[in-house]
Amino acid sequence: TTLTFHGFSGLDLVGILDFLTAFPGLTYAIFWCRSEIDAKMFSYLALQKVVLLVQRPPQILVKVLWRLELVETSFMMEVHSYADLFMWVVVLSLSLAGIHRVARL
């Protein structure tokens, strides 16, 4: 069964990207649950800042362009998927690097 959303259907690049995004999200959740409180707080703050500064701006811009019918639905969905994946890569990199120890000093 394929789902259709504004003429966009099937499991293609966006579906694969969304599937790949689940792995860093799950890795982050496991890391967060097993971390000390300092690491948890740092990684959560990193998550907040990366979402606000890296992920959301391109998504909002493309959503506005999509509403104005300047970009197609498939392009909007690809940008959302790439932004989500990039956000998780940056957050995991910062969290797993142990930078919270340096920030505590």
Side-chain angles (χ1 to χ4, degrees):
T1 306
T2 58
L3 298 175
T4 302
F5 176 70
H6 294 284
F8 187 78
S9 63
L11 181 66
D12 56 352
L13 179 62
V14 172
I16 293 168
L17 287 173
D18 289 341
F19 181 73
L20 290 176
T21 301
F23 290 113
L26 183 61
T27 304
Y28 176 82
I30 292 169
F31 169 78
W32 193 85
C33 288
R34 300 188 63 181
S35 297
E36 297 175 7
I37 190 70
D38 289 344
K40 282 183 182 182
M41 292 307 297
F42 179 81
S43 66
Y44 184 68
L45 291 172
L47 175 64
Q48 285 181 327
K49 287 180 179 25
V50 170
V51 165
L52 291 173
L53 299 173
V54 175
Q55 179 196 29
R56 293 303 293 165
Q59 288 180 343
I60 291 170
L61 177 66
V62 171
K63 181 85 61 144
V64 168
L65 294 174
W66 177 72
R67 291 280 181 188
L68 296 172
E69 298 180 358
L70 297 174
V71 298
E72 295 181 7
T73 302
S74 60
F75 179 76
M76 179 195 64
M77 293 177 73
E78 286 177 15
V79 169
H80 277 253
S81 296
Y82 280 121
D84 291 345
L85 186 59
F86 183 69
M87 179 269 306
W88 281 118
V89 168
V90 171
V91 168
L92 274 176
S93 300
L94 290 172
S95 296
L96 295 175
I99 299 174
H100 65 279
R101 293 186 189 103
V102 176
R104 188 173 40 185
L105 297 177

